[in-house]
Amino acid sequence: MRHDFAAASRVRFVVTHWSWLILAPVSIAALLWAGPTGAATFLLGVPALALLASLDVPPDAGALASARRGMFFGSSRALRDAGRASTTAILLRGSLTAGDPVVHQAYSLGETDLALVLGLAAAAEKAAEDHPVARAIRRYAEEHGRSSATVRKQRLREGLGVTAVTTRGAPVVVGRRQLLLDEGISVAAADSDALHIENEGLTPIFIAIDGRLEALVAVLDAMHVGARDAVQRIEDLPCEVVILSGDDRRTVERMAGHLGSPRVKAPLLPQERVAEVRALRETGGVTATIGRGGEDDPVLAAADVPISLRLLGSALEDRGVVVASHDVRDAAGALWIARAARRATSRSIVACALATAFVVLGVAFAWMTPVIAALCAAMTEAWTLRAGSRLLRRVDLRV
């Protein structure tokens, strides 16, 4: 883990280079108040080395524990910010879901043969390239013998769907309800079926040919096996969880119900997700965002702590967290380790402050000897040096 000038680094610099500005006047005061013995007692009892250890040992142990599990903090600042996160935004598709949706069922709503409709939809979806929903529709058309038709002028409407034109000049529209409404196509005939699909936690995809609604496709993106555990771990930190998705709100709320009902922000276009993360930063304190590296980079970049799944070498890794696996539980584990390292650092600093206050009182009231002061400093240093091993044991038990 590369170190930068985070808060702990600045404190370390001050303690190393400028602590004499505090120790010298206090030592002189102890000399005048209690004589040479008092000054020696103070200097022997101040746990300066323990303070330095408290700033170094827990973060280093946290970085080691996370690296063993395929979680890599790009910098000490990333570790610090992850430990302070009060809100975590999770991009639904590919993080809480498997990210490999399938067509659960296709409904014919018009007079055009369903095979032809699906063939035209599969051809139009080539504009979306590797989008998971586009792959699912193309795969379903191939598996059910729907030969791809020929279309032209395919166009991707990011976050909404695709449009194209058949060889006869008839427009083809495949996507969310909003896309069809934008194109002036009524979806009233599919309202009841779409409502049923959304209530089942599926995503409805509408297909219209030549201005008429012809088919409705129900797309299933199965929940990740560890999604509920991940959400629960993050909420237990405590840290508020917000799910961001481009899917219809009923679909996302149905999924959120299985996850313990975290907050939902949907439906959101890609640029709206970026704006939502920025809004969370302004109102919710330090914000972490979990998503797929590469594809979700614009949204991740808007967060204080971007957490990338499944991608090493991300452009965001210097200031965030990279998880080598696609398991969202590892992302939750990284946040837990960062929070535990921050708490271990705070406990060690408090211990150093209490030990220093104890020595100062002993010198002021002339009941502490140099031997007792040295023992106090040694005990404090021994306790802080073991903060790393205690943290590693906690990680082994909890993550």
Side-chain angles (χ1 to χ4, degrees), residues 284-370:
V286 177
T287 299
T289 301
I290 302 173
R292 294 164 294 182
E295 181 177 342
D296 294 328
D297 273 359
V299 185
L300 295 175
D304 296 299
V305 185
I307 304 179
S308 304
L309 300 175
R310 292 187 294 183
L311 185 67
L312 293 173
S314 168
L316 301 172
E317 68 173 281
D318 286 351
R319 66 180 189 85
V321 186
V322 175
V323 178
S325 73
H326 64 275
D327 195 333
V328 69
R329 287 173 294 187
D330 288 340
L335 289 172
W336 189 92
I337 290 173
R339 184 68 62 95
R342 181 170 180 263
R343 288 173 176 170
T345 299
S346 299
R347 284 194 293 267
S348 295
I349 292 175
V350 169
C352 293
L354 292 175
T356 301
F358 180 69
V359 170
V360 170
L361 289 174
V363 172
F365 293 99
W367 56 262
M368 180 173 286
T369 65

Side-chain angles (χ1 to χ4, degrees), residues 86-87 240 263 265 276-287:
S86 57
T87 305
E240 184 180 20
R263 284 174 60 193
K265 297 289 185 177
E276 186 62 40
V277 170
R278 289 174 178 163
L280 289 173
R281 290 179 63 184
E282 295 175 358
T283 60
V286 177
T287 299

Side-chain angles (χ1 to χ4, degrees), residues 55-68:
L55 298 174
D56 285 326
V57 173
D60 289 345
L64 175 62
S66 60
R68 287 177 177 175

Side-chain angles (χ1 to χ4, degrees), residues 99-101 125-136 138 156 292 295:
D100 188 21
E125 287 288 7
K126 292 179 181 178
E129 297 180 351
D130 291 330
H131 191 279
V133 173
R135 288 201 308 267
R138 293 200 302 267
L156 173 64
R292 294 164 294 182
E295 181 177 342

